[in-house]
Amino acid sequence: MLSHPDSHQQAPQSAPLSTNKFYANFFLGSQGQSVWTHPYSLTWSKGTQTAKSWGMAVSHIDADQRVLGPRNDGVPGSPAQYYINPIAIQSIIISAVELGNSTMLTTDSLQAFSANANLLPQAGSSSKITFPLVQGMGLVTGIYTKLQPVIQSSVIFRSVSVGARSSTGIFKYQITLEDNKSWLLYATPRNGQDPQLSLVSNTELRGVPSWSGFIQIAKNPAGSSGEYTYDNAAGVYPSAMDLTASTSSQTGTYEFRWRKTGLTGANGPKLLMFALPHHVESFAGPTPFATTPLHMQTTTKGMATAVVADFWTLVEGNLPVDMGFAPWNGSLPQGSRSTKRLSPTAIDIIHTVAASEIKQDMGSQTDLDSMYFSGKALSKFAALVYAVHDLCDKPDLGEALFDVPLPPTSMPLNARNMIPNSNVVPRPPTLSRYLTGFY
């Protein structure tokens, strides 16, 4: 079993931990960096900013909050060279009276598309708030176990209104912050108990002690129509997602099916999930009819569309099923797009370059401390051998690469480190600040 250089007391599980996952900031480093589920981001507050909260801060960035870099006049239209999305805006914080400087953030159920984050008042506590993290989730859910709910904001509350209780027992609150952004809060008790959230300051709503149930937060940029959409989706939340796929000739069909939790009876609400533009373009079957007029900006993925459905069906056509290692031209007819037949001029150019590059020291380039960069080098040399052997029909030139002597203590091609995963750095060197999109 690989011994990871980072200790993961906050992510206890026997299965291997995947690298570069969207939720990794909640078990790496200080655990203070954000997790992006798109369109929302979540950050452990850790006693910072105006609210001094130890809960989970929820943020959403609109396009007009971006900061544009200088214009690039060397490109037509003079676009900005870069843009920056602001971070650490604690719009709504899901917390509890019991959370303080002894609070622990742990994670569990780490899967490909989901994970749970837990805030405990202290190590070993049976009381906690669990946050199911699923990419694209339409509402941020905090599941309370015997805690006194506190909802906070470092942006500051301008107004809080109590909405009508639903027929399914959901308590509703309408929130406006000092940045003029509107949010909705839905509280679904485990035993029917009213959370009785009341404003105790301009940064804090406080509920009743020892409350159990779940609180859901959503930003509403669409007025009454957006509120109607959220009202009809509150009370359920995704806990995980299963992906299935199949192909037929040049057509691929795949499905996202979420595991729904909460008020999941026969007449219960369907899930509200946000789809990115490339999802919407591929929707098929009943899924296009489940889209809504509710849209939310994402930081890097374009405008997300709210979809009310427990599963999505997507279809991709014209798949490049004839693509291999050889040069491929997608504009040609199917069956003739991949070819090993190169022009004599191209072969001469490749042969000239390869004759020089084949002299490189493959042993030293692939016998590194890092499996990641050793693998990059191996991939380069494999492509070089393929080019001269298969495309240029120069097998002797390709075989010459394997005549390079390796150090006497070295198994071929760094195998002594790669096979047992014993490289000094068996992973990419930086993980904690990676931003990943979804699906």
Side-chain angles (χ1 to χ4, degrees):
M1 175 64 72
L2 173 64
S3 177
H4 202 286
D6 289 325
S7 61
H8 295 303
Q9 291 108 352
Q10 284 74 39
Q13 66 178 47
S14 58
L17 296 177
S18 298
T19 59
N20 200 22
K21 303 305 290 186
F22 77 96
Y23 48 73
N25 280 336
F26 279 170
F27 61 73
L28 288 176
S30 69
Q31 302 176 278
Q33 299 296 324
S34 299
V35 161
W36 279 263
T37 60
H38 295 297
Y40 300 108
S41 66
L42 290 84
T43 312
W44 184 19
S45 298
K46 301 186 74 172
T48 61
Q49 298 192 32
T50 304
K52 305 299 182 186
S53 176
W54 286 85
M56 189 68 74
V58 182
S59 179
H60 173 263
I61 304 302
D62 288 310
D64 61 6
Q65 294 176 269
R66 294 172 179 161
V67 177
L68 299 179
R71 297 289 179 179
N72 186 348
D73 295 328
V75 177
S78 300
Q81 295 180 23
Y82 58 84
Y83 68 88
I84 299 173
N85 288 290
I87 59 174
I89 297 177
Q90 299 177 351
S91 294
I92 300 290
I93 309 168
I94 302 174
S95 187
V97 169
E98 293 84 353
L99 299 185
N101 57 13
S102 61
T103 299
M104 285 191 63
L105 170 60
T106 66
T107 57
D108 62 66
S109 306
L110 307 179
Q111 300 182 34
F113 311 109
S114 62
N116 286 338
N118 309 290
L119 289 177
L120 289 70
Q122 59 273 327
S125 175
S126 60
S127 298
K128 62 181 178 179
I129 310 175
T130 295
F131 299 88
L133 308 174
V134 180
Q135 291 176 299
M137 59 189 186
L139 300 94
V140 179
T141 302
I143 307 167
Y144 284 76
T145 302
K146 296 182 179 179
L147 290 171
Q148 185 171 3
V150 167
I151 305 299
Q152 296 165 288
S153 175
S154 287
V155 178
I156 299 178
F157 296 117
R158 176 183 296 174
S159 66
V160 178
S161 302
V162 180
R165 183 180 182 181
S166 74
S167 60
T168 53
I170 301 174
F171 296 87
K172 173 182 170 183
Y173 299 80
Q174 298 147 319
I175 299 171
T176 302
L177 301 181
E178 283 297 342
D179 61 2
N180 206 35
K181 304 295 174 65
S182 297
W183 293 74
L184 295 167
L185 184 154
Y186 301 92
T188 306
R190 188 173 298 170
N191 56 4
Q193 182 185 17
D194 187 342
Q196 299 180 33
L197 294 171
S198 60
L199 203 60
V200 298
S201 74
N202 62 2
T203 62
E204 183 176 322
L205 284 163
R206 184 173 296 189
V208 297
S210 194
W211 189 81
S212 295
F214 58 92
I215 288 177
Q216 296 179 288
I217 294 292
K219 184 179 177 181
N220 178 26
S224 58
S225 65
E227 186 167 345
Y228 176 83
T229 300
Y230 282 122
D231 285 352
N232 285 281
V236 292
Y237 57 89
S239 57
M241 193 272 280
D242 297 309
L243 170 65
T244 57
S246 63
T247 59
S248 176
S249 185
Q250 292 178 253
T251 300
T253 302
Y254 57 111
E255 182 179 277
F256 300 155
R257 186 173 291 272
W258 287 275
R259 302 176 200 173
K260 185 169 68 174
T261 307
L263 305 178
T264 57
N267 298 318
K270 293 183 178 180
L271 289 170
L272 189 156
M273 304 293 296
F274 279 98
L276 299 180
H278 68 275
H279 298 137
V280 176
E281 291 172 359
S282 300
F283 279 167
T287 310
F289 305 101
T291 59
T292 74
L294 176 60
H295 300 281
M296 294 268 279
Q297 186 69 50
T298 67
T299 52
T300 59
K301 311 297 177 184
M303 190 67 75
T305 300
V307 183
V308 180
D310 294 338
F311 67 92
W312 299 348
T313 300
L314 305 94
V315 173
E316 300 288 348
N318 195 29
L319 296 178
V321 294
D322 56 348
M323 182 183 291
F325 290 110
W328 185 86
N329 187 341
S331 63
L332 296 177
Q334 174 74 18
S336 61
R337 296 184 290 188
S338 182
T339 179
K340 294 182 180 180
R341 299 179 61 183
L342 306 181
S343 69
T345 301
I347 290 175
D348 287 343
I349 293 173
I350 294 173
H351 180 265
T352 300
V353 175
S356 172
E357 292 189 345
I358 213 83
K359 297 175 183 178
Q360 297 179 59
D361 186 351
M362 183 172 65
S364 64
Q365 291 188 35
T366 61
D367 191 16
L368 306 176
D369 288 339
S370 165
M371 177 177 287
Y372 179 82
F373 290 107
S374 294
K376 288 283 190 181
L378 283 172
S379 176
K380 178 187 75 172
F381 285 110
L384 177 57
V385 171
Y386 174 80
V388 297
H389 187 280
D390 284 43
L391 301 182
C392 297
D393 195 24
K394 302 289 184 181
D396 293 343
L397 186 59
E399 291 169 4
L401 187 65
F402 296 99
D403 293 334
V404 178
L406 296 175
T409 59
S410 180
M411 295 172 64
L413 303 181
N414 200 20
R416 74 182 193 281
N417 286 332
M418 287 190 174
I419 292 173
N421 280 337
S422 60
N423 299 73
V424 174
V425 185
R427 60 181 175 90
T430 303
L431 294 175
S432 62
R433 297 181 185 270
Y434 278 5
L435 268 166
T436 57
F438 73 96
Y439 318 146

